């Protein structure tokens, strides 16, 4: 699995919408990739902050902005 593939499935992983097999593949990638591990924990924290403020609906465009920032970083760092 590449970082791009991992990041494409990041939302599903956080939403727990992945199959057990895919989850195992994602975990395997995380073990070998610090960049994606940091990205996952950062994104999770961001979402938790929104949820803890009971803003269950993320502001429109937030996920897109997060994704764009992540992909931009990945192009430099991966
Ligand atoms: Zn990666």
């Amino acid at each position: 699995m590449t970082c791009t593939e991992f990041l494409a499935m990041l939302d599903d992983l956080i939403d727990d919408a992945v199959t057990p097999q895919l989850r195992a593949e994602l975990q395997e990638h995380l073990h070998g990739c610090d960049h994606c591990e940091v990205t996952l924990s950062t994104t999770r924290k961001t979402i938790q902050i929104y949820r803890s403020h009971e803003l269950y609906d993320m502001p429109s465009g937030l996920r897109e902005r997060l994704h764009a920032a992540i992909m931009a970083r990945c192009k430099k760092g991966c």
Side-chain angles (χ1 to χ4, degrees):
M1 181 177 290
T2 65
C3 292
T4 306
E5 286 169 336
F6 179 88
L7 291 171
M9 284 179 278
L10 188 65
D11 279 354
D12 288 343
L13 179 63
I14 289 170
D15 290 340
D16 219 9
V18 292
T19 62
Q21 195 204 334
L22 183 57
R23 174 181 293 276
E25 286 175 33
L26 292 164
Q27 294 290 351
E28 199 183 311
H29 181 85
L30 279 177
H31 283 305
C33 185
D34 288 346
H35 170 81
C36 287
E37 197 175 17
V38 170
T39 301
L40 174 63
S41 64
T42 305
T43 308
R44 247 192 194 135
K45 267 181 220 147
T46 306
I47 289 168
Q48 272 165 8
I49 288 164
Y50 277 96
R51 287 188 180 161
S52 69
H53 291 285
E54 298 191 351
L55 297 169
Y56 288 99
D57 292 320
M58 299 251 277
S60 67
L62 176 67
R63 281 195 176 205
E64 286 73 13
R65 284 207 301 278
L66 271 175
H67 261 208
I70 289 162
M71 295 308 280
R73 227 186 307 157
C74 193
K75 273 174 202 142
K76 283 180 234 158
C78 293

